[in-house]
């Protein structure tokens, strides 16, 4: 990778935080953009990551704030799409004005003008801005994260309007490894103007996700497909944007996330993690569901 700092927008997110740790381990100078102080990744003792600087930016940062974040940087990575993260259009336009030479954008699989998922339609607009920026770019279109599957389980039921669809969901660690490989690849220009599709190794159905969780937590978890219209009369309290969530489930049902890609093994040099392996490797991600394996509770 060419010299100069990496600006990591979305550093406090599920993928961004893991990416920040990887860049720190590689000795890469980085500026971590987070929406509030204390949300940046840090070492276990609370000390800052080495070679890192934290910059706090709200969703609508001003020109001076953007200049502070981006001036003199070599690469901008847009790894966050949460409502509190900086507006990606503002970041991209400021990066173009300030001469940032490279942009890596984490987008969504299925991104297009007519995408089924609302988030994918917005990400398509961001992709167009990236491609028109004048910078060298790489886009990584990511599947649904494993963590999103687990967070959709409540009272031992995975309830979603996803029909019989399958999704090649992926570990956030695998996404971070793929981005790191692209960022630090010493082969000049090999990833320029390339769009990668980042998935897990298997397209999972709702019952298969529930079965893997059942084995992990020691209780029966079941998948319950529901009609989207029924969710408006009985809102789901843990879903922030119901319309967006329903549209993502509709994309699963339509097969948008079903195709498996070899991008993770090609970029990271190892197989993508299976869902059951991720559950074993990251128990903190599902402990809120409760673990009955050592409590004597029968399945």
């Amino acid at each position: 990778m060419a010299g100069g700092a990496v600006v990591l927008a979305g550093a406090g997110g599920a993928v961004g935080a893991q990416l920040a740790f990887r860049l720190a381990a590689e000795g890469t100078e980085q500026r971590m953009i987070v929406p509030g102080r204390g949300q940046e990744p840090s070492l276990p003792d609370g000390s800052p990551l080495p070679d890192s600087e934290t910059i706090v930016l709200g969703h609508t940062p001003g020109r001076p704030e953007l200049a502070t974040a981006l001036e003199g940087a070599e690469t901008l990575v847009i790894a966050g799409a949460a409502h509190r993260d900086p507006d990606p259009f503002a970041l991209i336009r400021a990066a173009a004005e300030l001469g940032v030479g490279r942009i890596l954008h984490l987008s969504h699989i299925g991104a297009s003008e007519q995408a089924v998922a609302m988030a994918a339609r917005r990400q398509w607009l961001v992709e167009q801005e990236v491609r028109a920026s004048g910078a060298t770019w790489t886009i990584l279109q990511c599947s649904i994260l494993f963590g999103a599957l687990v967070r959709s389980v409540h009272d031992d039921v995975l309830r979603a309007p996803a029909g019989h669809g399958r999704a090649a969901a992926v570990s956030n660690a695998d996404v971070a490894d793929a981005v790191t490989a692209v960022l630090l690849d010493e082969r000049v220009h090999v990833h320029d103007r390339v769009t990668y599709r980042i998935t897990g190794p298997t397209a999972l159905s709702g019952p298969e996700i529930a079965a893997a969780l059942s084995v992990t937590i020691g209780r029966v978890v079941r998948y319950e497909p529901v009609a989207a219209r029924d969710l408006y009369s009985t809102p789901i309290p843990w879903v922030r944007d119901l319309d967006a969530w329903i549209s993502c489930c509709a994309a699963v049902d339509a097969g948008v996330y079903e195709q498996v890609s070899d991008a993770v093994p090609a970029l990271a040099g190892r197989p993508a993690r299976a869902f059951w392996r991720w559950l074993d490797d990251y128990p903190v991600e599902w402990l809120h569901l409760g673990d009955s394996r050592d409590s004597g509770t029968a399945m």
Side-chain angles (χ1 to χ4, degrees):
M1 186 184 78
V6 172
V7 176
L8 176 55
V15 173
Q18 295 216 13
L19 178 55
F21 281 108
R22 284 158 173 75
L23 294 179
E26 295 291 340
T28 302
E29 180 187 356
Q30 61 178 316
R31 302 174 194 167
M32 302 183 298
I33 296 179
V34 292
R37 187 63 62 179
Q39 298 181 28
E40 67 275 15
S42 61
L43 296 176
D45 63 1
S47 59
L49 297 183
D51 301 307
S52 71
E53 176 186 0
T54 298
I55 298 175
V56 176
L57 291 182
H59 184 66
T60 56
R63 180 66 173 75
E65 297 170 295
L66 289 166
T68 298
L70 293 164
E71 199 158 24
E74 174 64 29
T75 303
L76 168 64
V77 180
I78 304 175
H83 70 289
R84 295 184 62 196
D85 287 321
D87 176 21
F89 299 98
L91 284 170
I92 295 163
R93 291 162 190 165
E97 293 174 8
L98 294 165
V100 175
R102 188 183 190 196
I103 299 175
L104 270 69
H105 172 51
L106 270 64
S107 182
H108 287 202
I109 282 178
S112 72
E113 189 173 12
Q114 304 298 325
V116 177
M118 293 170 59
R121 292 197 293 271
R122 174 173 169 77
Q123 288 294 344
W124 179 81
L125 295 173
V126 179
E127 287 189 12
Q128 305 318 301
E129 194 77 19
V130 170
R131 292 185 173 100
S133 67
T136 297
W137 55 265
T138 306
I139 292 171
L140 297 95
Q141 295 181 339
C142 302
S143 187
I144 297 169
L145 296 179
F146 287 153
L149 304 180
V150 174
R151 289 191 297 274
S152 296
V153 176
H154 287 262
D155 298 326
D156 295 340
V157 179
L158 171 58
R159 186 168 177 262
H164 300 291
R166 291 177 171 271
V170 66
S171 161
N172 50 5
D174 284 352
V175 178
D177 283 345
V179 177
T180 302
V182 172
L183 274 173
L184 303 183
D185 199 328
E186 295 181 353
R187 296 172 296 170
V188 178
H189 305 308
V190 70
H191 304 290
D192 291 1
R193 305 178 69 83
V194 177
T195 299
Y196 292 104
R197 183 183 175 98
I198 308 298
T199 77
T202 308
L204 300 168
S205 67
E208 288 168 342
I209 295 165
L213 282 166
S214 297
V215 172
T216 298
I217 70 174
R219 296 191 310 276
V220 173
V221 176
R222 61 186 176 85
Y223 170 59
E224 181 182 310
V226 294
R229 62 179 179 275
D230 294 337
L231 296 176
Y232 289 100
S233 59
T234 55
I236 300 176
W238 61 89
V239 174
R240 180 185 299 276
D241 186 332
L242 185 59
D243 287 333
W245 185 73
I246 288 174
S247 72
C248 181
C249 292
V252 173
D253 194 20
V256 171
Y257 301 104
E258 187 168 355
Q259 183 180 350
V260 173
S261 163
D262 65 353
V264 169
L267 293 169
R270 57 160 181 78
R273 286 177 179 82
F275 183 51
W276 66 268
R277 174 67 70 188
W278 177 82
L279 291 170
D280 282 347
D281 290 345
Y282 295 93
V284 69
E285 297 284 355
W286 54 263
L287 284 180
H288 65 284
L289 299 177
D291 187 349
S292 301
R293 291 175 299 180
D294 299 322
S295 65
T297 302
M299 288 183 58

